[in-house]
Amino acid sequence: MPPADTTPHGPATPTARARPGVPGPAPAPGAHGAAAGPPGSHGTGAAEGAVPGTAGSGGGLAPAGPGVPATDPAGSRHGDGGLLLDRVGRWAPEATPFGIFRLVPLTRADDLTLLTTWMNDPAVAAFWELAGPPGTTARHVRAQLAGDGRSVPCLGLLDGRPMSYWELYRADLDPLARHYPARPHDTGVHLLLGGAADRGRGVGTALLRAVVCLVLAHRPRCGRVLAEPDVRNAPSVAAFRRAGFRLDTEVDLPGKRAALMVRERTTPTKRAPVNR
């Protein structure tokens, strides 16, 4: 088991079917008024930001979808993350004890080399199961960029340094909503810390607190932030607890039994002091 704050909280099975946090194809209205696919399925929501360079073999991202220009005026698939998640790319940075943190949405022109490297780290691959060539990561990201904006993949930058990967998604519009009593604008989060130097020293907990603050500050209609780490991933569950989440229940999702972690807007926010 990787040390605390090391493990990602994303999909557990790299299959062709939709997974938590990743928009699936044309879902029909599901339980709790949410758009949902087959029970237990989820949409794709990978998060990476601008990484310079060129993608490896198979790593280039395809256009967002038929009829969608690269400069989509609605911003639903490009640059700022779109309206369904209140334009993540325009959110202000957040101070943490480890530096200034910012979420940067991935765009179709971004390089996948860094994210592919992270996905091939055994500590990450154990839970994301996306190890392999750049094309494996590209397919995971492409599903989100081709979606309607209900899932936004981002890079997490700490003092300008790309060091984490995030997926923010509309849990109420995701098939996850079939597994719990969803509320409008519930926001889900997946994350991974890219480098070993950022693991096991409280960085993950600090960044989770920062992302919760960002979501609740910039999404006034959102009352809760949710996550669904694998129940076997005890360090991740512990990091969420330290960041103010509570364990609501356990749910069976494709490929894993998940701990449904919930952070209510009404929970007091405990920001650690910033020593800069």
Side-chain angles (χ1 to χ4, degrees):
M1 182 70 67
D5 297 338
T6 62
T7 47
H9 315 297
T13 314
T15 62
R17 61 184 172 180
R19 299 190 296 270
V22 183
H32 318 298
S41 67
H42 297 271
T44 329
E48 193 205 22
V51 182
T54 57
S57 174
L61 298 182
V68 180
T71 54
D72 179 4
S76 60
R77 296 183 176 95
H78 302 277
D80 65 7
L83 297 175
L84 287 178
L85 280 160
D86 295 296
R87 302 188 184 281
V88 175
R90 300 185 183 184
W91 293 1
E94 180 76 9
T96 80
F98 299 94
I100 303 301
F101 179 75
R102 180 186 292 275
L103 288 170
V104 180
L106 179 70
T107 67
R108 64 184 179 137
D110 287 322
D111 182 83
L112 295 176
T113 301
L114 182 59
L115 184 54
T116 299
T117 299
W118 292 345
M119 289 299 184
N120 279 278
D121 181 328
V124 172
F127 291 97
W128 285 75
E129 296 188 5
L130 287 172
T136 301
T137 301
R139 284 188 292 274
H140 178 76
V141 173
R142 186 182 298 123
Q144 298 168 81
L145 300 186
D148 61 2
R150 71 185 60 189
S151 178
V152 178
C154 303
L155 270 187
L157 308 185
L158 196 58
D159 285 341
R161 173 177 63 93
M163 47 72 65
S164 55
Y165 173 75
W166 299 76
E167 299 176 349
L168 299 186
Y169 67 96
R170 284 285 299 271
D172 60 320
L173 302 181
D174 190 88
L176 177 64
R178 291 192 173 215
H179 299 267
Y180 81 103
R183 300 175 189 169
H185 296 281
D186 278 352
T187 302
V189 59
H190 300 146
L191 82 101
L192 69 83
L193 297 182
D198 292 315
R199 302 173 187 169
R201 59 191 186 96
V203 175
T205 295
L207 297 189
L208 282 170
R209 290 190 183 120
V211 168
V212 166
C213 289
L214 288 170
V215 170
L216 297 180
H218 295 279
R219 303 207 67 234
R221 295 170 293 180
C222 171
R224 302 187 298 183
V225 181
L226 295 86
E228 19 80 15
D230 194 306
V231 294
R232 299 169 299 169
N233 194 346
S236 289
V237 175
F240 278 107
R241 286 186 184 276
R242 290 192 297 270
F245 288 75
R246 62 176 172 80
L247 174 61
D248 183 77
T249 187
E250 294 184 1
V251 295
D252 289 314
L253 302 177
K256 69 178 181 182
R257 183 165 181 81
L260 184 65
M261 309 298 296
V262 178
R263 169 59 159 82
E264 304 279 354
R265 178 179 287 276
T266 54
T267 302
T269 298
K270 296 180 180 178
R271 282 188 173 96
V274 179
N275 299 316
R276 302 295 295 164

